[in-house]
Amino acid sequence: MEKIQIKLKRGLARTTEVQRANLKGLGLRKRESISIVADTEANRGMIRRVIHMLDVSRPNAESETKKSGVAVEVKPVSTEAKKAAPKKKTTKKKVAKKTATKSTKEKKS
């Protein structure tokens, strides 16, 4: 089955509920998100309603591996590297709050 790659190029602000529902149905949640969907009449209809917000193209092999997560490698951090890094102590500075009294307001006037 043919696939379509869709990229959301605009945010969801100032969109109608129907447009948001179509984008959710296509698997798009945030700006610049990419989704690969089947090329069916139902998906084409949803795309047609929000085409002004999308970049539509045929997917290439690289984007499919990114979506499936096959090409992504996660390297665990060794415990030795964690112990070697010195920890910095952070302290919060206390800041005195300024309160305006009647006498200070009168002096300013």
Side-chain angles (χ1 to χ4, degrees), residues 84-97:
K87 293 184 180 180
K88 293 183 180 180
K89 292 183 179 180
T90 57
T91 57
K92 292 184 180 180
K93 295 181 179 179
K94 294 182 180 179
V95 179
K97 293 183 180 179

Side-chain angles (χ1 to χ4, degrees), residues 11 19 24 35 40-41 53 59 71 74 94 104-105 108:
Q19 289 172 334
K24 186 177 179 182
S35 180
T40 62
E41 288 297 319
M53 300 174 69
V74 178
K94 294 182 180 179
T104 57
K105 287 183 182 176
K108 289 182 182 178

Side-chain angles (χ1 to χ4, degrees), residues 47-58:
I47 291 169
R48 225 176 277 125
R49 291 195 124 183
V50 290
I51 191 70
H52 60 283
M53 300 174 69
L54 303 175
D55 283 332
V56 182
S57 63
R58 294 283 177 199

Side-chain angles (χ1 to χ4, degrees), residues 14 16 19 21 23 33-34 39 47 50 53 55-56 60 65 82 89 92 99 101 104 107-108:
R14 300 185 70 165
T16 64
Q19 289 172 334
L23 292 170
S33 62
I34 297 174
D39 188 7
I47 291 169
V50 290
M53 300 174 69
D55 283 332
V56 182
N60 51 13
T65 57
K82 288 181 183 178
K89 292 183 179 180
K92 292 184 180 180
T99 57
T101 59
T104 57
K107 290 179 184 176
K108 289 182 182 178

Side-chain angles (χ1 to χ4, degrees), residues 3 6 25-26 32 43 47 57 60 62 66 68 72 76 83 87 90 95 104:
K3 303 257 184 188
I6 307 163
L26 291 169
E32 302 298 323
N43 286 338
I47 291 169
S57 63
N60 51 13
E62 183 180 316
K66 284 182 184 177
S68 65
V72 179
K83 290 178 184 177
K87 293 184 180 180
T90 57
V95 179
T104 57

Side-chain angles (χ1 to χ4, degrees), residues 1-35:
M1 180 173 267
E2 292 289 320
K3 303 257 184 188
I4 300 175
Q5 178 178 337
I6 307 163
K7 180 178 181 182
L8 184 60
K9 62 183 180 181
R10 295 186 182 200
L12 299 178
R14 300 185 70 165
T15 58
T16 64
E17 290 182 29
V18 173
Q19 289 172 334
R20 286 187 198 133
N22 283 327
L23 292 170
K24 186 177 179 182
L26 291 169
L28 300 169
R29 294 183 182 185
K30 295 181 180 180
R31 188 172 161 239
E32 302 298 323
S33 62
I34 297 174
S35 180

